[in-house]
Amino acid sequence: MTEPFQLPASLKGFRVHLVGIKGTGMAALAEVLSSRGARITGSDTSEKFYTDAVLSRLGIPYRETFSAENLPRDTQLVVHSAAYRAEDNPELRAAVEMHLPALIYPQALGALSAQSDSSGISGVHGKSTTTALCGMILKAWGFPATVVVGAEVPGFGNRSTLTEGDQFLVAETCEYRRHFLNFHPRRIVITSIEPDHLDYFRDLEDLLAAFTEYGTRMPPGGVLIYCSDDPGAREAARRVRGQRPDLVAIPYGRNAEGLYRVTGEQVGSGRTVFRVAGVPVQLELRIPGAHNVLNATAALALCSHVWDAQRRGQQPDWAAAAAGLRSFTGSRRRSEIVGEAGGVLFVDDYAHHPTAIQKTLEGMRHFYPGRRLIVDFMSHTYSRTRALLAQFGTCFSAADEVILHRIYASARESNEGGIRGQDLYEEVRRHHPSVRYIEEPASAAAELAGGLRAGDLFITMGAGDNWKIGRELLRLRGGSAAGGNVEAGGAAGGNVEAGGAAGGNVEAGSAAGGSAVDGSTGGTTE
């Protein structure tokens, strides 16, 4: 077995070249390495993404083409998106000829994690938001931490990385292809486990085995934080504890015993207040959804253990933690408010699994009472659509109207079962009274514009490119996107399964085939 690559103890002056540098995860990696003194170069396609501005602000040079000449002769390490291989990329071929070590994104993040006191956020749902919330708390505490999220976070200066120091590292880690096994955590959060990525995992048992292995790899005295409300997370925790009784297991949730039991939830217009048993202050979120209360509680549990590692014996500053949660306004493609025009509120969300769709829509229904809720959904991957068709059929019940499209294909699979967007439409129509099918998202805005009225909430959902519909409808009504009207697929949340944070799984690249999704994932991202 090949030993994992080890970064030098000091990265000052260490030369790293990133192939696919515009990916969410890859750009985050570039920022982290640069903040630690490494000299970074990179390359990618000429397609524009939000990461172009991030890299420019950081002063990191890159070429918008792929050529062996891009690779500096004194390069010491090459990191590349999983979207690229030596067989078809001239820079990776040159790296092989120069006998340079070459890592894919999750391997590089794993090498970084070995240099810090690291914590991994995992789960089929909620990874990105939970990781971002951890960042907001650690930032409020002024901790010397780096936080890597699979999505752009306004609270991080519209970047996916918070770099406040290198003592601690908190990163979103993705289960796809068992990428999270590259990571070296002292603490792990498991938010949820249920069947997904069925193009890779055989079944739920295979998925549970991956999470169990992840948990059991922690060092002696490691901390496993898991959602006791989620059957999959609960089962994985049971298995991990069975194999590793030395680990500390911390449950959280509405049914949890102990310090992280959620109580007293109250949902009002635009905010949710709640209590956590071991936290002596009232907590508030300004993002919708009961699931985000759980995500925030997971973040509190994880950060309290990071606090103990830094300031053992002192009581955590819960008031500052509460302020950090209250200041969180979400992240790109996670209940993201795109804009409002003519009384219609436009929202975009990455939810692409039936459970996430149902929870997000229910959250929107309670958070914005009185609005007509219209959801435009584009399913992602043939394998997921086929395997979860029955669940997709019933997950839109909180919406007043549903619009569906063709399936957004993934570069990693072929349509062996012949599943079509029309099949999904027929299944949803069996359970919902108001469903429309428009094959191509590109033509949907013109058809939908006339049916919107003041008081509506129009939300685009999924890991496809239908996010453009909401922005086009907003434009047609005379509005502009809250964060600027991003035209590139990866920028507004291209196809990232895990966000590309620590998982970096290639879902399909961006719509134009670029690498802006984790260098490319899906980059899980959730």
Side-chain angles (χ1 to χ4, degrees):
M1 174 182 252
T2 304
E3 288 296 317
F5 178 84
Q6 292 185 345
L7 290 168
S10 172
L11 291 174
K12 188 173 182 180
F14 190 67
R15 290 297 303 258
V16 185
H17 184 75
L18 281 71
V19 180
I21 195 170
K22 294 185 186 182
T24 297
M26 293 286 280
L29 182 66
E31 180 176 357
V32 174
L33 291 170
S34 179
S35 73
R36 299 185 183 188
R39 296 168 63 194
I40 308 298
T41 56
S43 60
D44 211 313
T45 67
S46 59
E47 188 176 358
K48 299 301 179 185
F49 302 97
Y50 81 90
T51 51
D52 281 278
V54 173
L55 294 167
S56 178
R57 287 198 302 269
L58 295 170
I60 293 175
Y62 58 94
R63 300 287 183 85
E64 292 187 323
T65 184
F66 297 115
S67 168
E69 296 178 358
N70 292 343
L71 192 62
R73 304 310 297 178
D74 58 349
T75 297
Q76 294 168 278
L77 172 66
V78 174
V79 181
H80 63 97
S81 157
Y84 302 111
R85 301 173 300 169
E87 291 80 8
D88 50 28
N89 185 279
E91 294 174 30
L92 295 182
R93 283 199 302 272
V96 172
E97 293 169 1
M98 294 167 63
H99 304 289
L100 293 174
L103 308 178
I104 59 172
Y105 169 78
Q107 292 172 330
L109 189 66
L112 265 178
S113 71
Q115 293 193 319
S116 300
D117 178 331
S118 297
S119 302
I121 312 299
S122 68
V124 170
H125 312 299
K127 293 185 292 292
S128 292
T129 299
T130 302
T131 309
L133 288 164
C134 286
M136 299 302 291
I137 295 171
L138 295 174
K139 181 181 178 183
W141 285 348
F143 270 36
T146 293
V147 181
V148 181
V149 184
E152 181 185 354
V153 182
F156 295 178
N158 291 319
R159 302 198 299 271
S160 60
T161 304
L162 179 72
T163 52
E164 300 286 313
D166 60 8
Q167 182 178 348
F168 299 99
L169 172 64
V170 179
E172 176 180 340
T173 60
C174 184
E175 70 279 3
Y176 184 62
R177 293 191 177 277
R178 290 174 163 80
H179 282 319
F180 54 17
L181 298 184
N182 290 286
F183 203 71
H184 302 280
R186 296 184 188 180
R187 302 165 206 87
I188 287 174
V189 172
I190 302 178
T191 63
S192 55
I193 302 174
E194 64 176 317
D196 198 12
H197 301 305
L198 296 175
D199 61 312
Y200 172 75
F201 291 107
R202 294 187 303 275
D203 48 28
L204 177 59
E205 181 59 35
D206 192 23
L207 193 58
L208 282 168
F211 277 92
T212 302
E213 182 177 0
Y214 187 35
T216 56
R217 287 191 174 198
M218 281 191 289
V223 178
L224 175 64
I225 298 166
Y226 67 97
C227 183
S228 64
D229 296 355
D230 183 84
R234 198 166 58 241
E235 174 59 19
R238 184 190 70 79
R239 296 184 184 193
V240 171
R241 285 181 293 174
Q243 296 181 38
R244 290 288 308 280
D246 62 297
L247 298 178
V248 179
I250 308 293
Y252 71 91
R254 297 175 181 90
N255 300 313
E257 298 294 334
L259 295 177
Y260 299 100
R261 182 184 182 93
V262 176
T263 62
E265 293 171 81
Q266 297 180 7
V267 181
S269 182
R271 71 180 194 136
T272 300
V273 296
F274 63 103
R275 292 273 185 177
V276 172
V279 178
V281 298
Q282 180 173 273
L283 302 162
E284 179 181 327
L285 288 176
R286 293 194 289 156
I287 53 174
H291 57 294
N292 281 321
V293 171
L294 295 177
N295 292 336
T297 306
L300 289 164
L302 186 281
C303 289
S304 72
H305 283 272
V306 175
W307 176 286
D308 286 343
Q310 173 79 351
R311 302 175 185 174
R312 186 172 297 278
Q314 298 181 37
Q315 184 73 5
D317 187 346
W318 294 119
L325 295 181
R326 189 167 53 250
S327 66
F328 182 66
T329 57
S331 53
R332 178 78 74 175
R333 301 224 62 212
R334 274 72 178 176
S335 299
E336 176 192 2
I337 295 177
V338 176
E340 186 169 4
V344 178
L345 181 64
F346 294 93
V347 178
D348 182 44
D349 195 275
Y350 182 68
H352 53 279
H353 186 286
T355 300
I357 293 167
Q358 181 176 338
K359 290 181 178 180
T360 300
L361 291 176
E362 288 173 352
M364 289 288 171
R365 172 63 72 197
H366 289 103
F367 213 65
Y368 298 103
R371 284 188 180 268
R372 186 173 65 139
L373 182 56
I374 304 168
V375 57
D376 183 291
F377 175 69
M378 189 174 197
S379 190
H380 177 236
T381 79
Y382 300 121
S383 57
R384 179 183 289 120
T385 309
R386 183 172 60 253
L388 304 178
L389 187 62
Q391 293 97 309
F392 275 120
T394 60
C395 71
F396 297 98
S397 58
D400 294 297
E401 294 186 15
V402 182
I403 300 105
L404 300 171
H405 310 284
R406 60 176 172 79
I407 297 169
Y408 190 76
S410 167
R412 71 194 190 202
E413 65 173 1
S414 58
N415 189 9
E416 296 178 358
I419 188 80
R420 306 169 304 151
Q422 292 95 328
D423 298 320
L424 177 60
Y425 164 71
E426 292 296 340
E427 183 65 25
V428 175
R429 197 171 66 160
R430 291 178 54 224
H431 304 278
H432 198 286
S434 182
V435 188
R436 294 179 64 180
Y437 184 80
I438 303 173
E439 175 77 8
E440 291 297 331
S443 62
E447 293 189 43
L448 298 173
L452 296 179
R453 58 177 184 258
D456 285 350
L457 191 163
F458 185 92
I459 179 170
T460 47
M461 300 187 84
D465 59 0
N466 61 318
W467 58 268
K468 299 176 183 178
I469 297 171
R471 285 163 170 77
E472 176 62 12
L473 287 169
L474 177 66
R475 187 190 67 80
L476 290 173
R477 295 183 72 86
S480 60
N485 192 3
V486 184
E487 294 299 334
N495 191 7
V496 187
E497 227 353 26
N505 50 324
V506 179
E507 279 290 90
S510 69
S515 66
V517 206
D518 159 39
S520 191
T521 85
T524 144
T525 147
E526 286 236 43

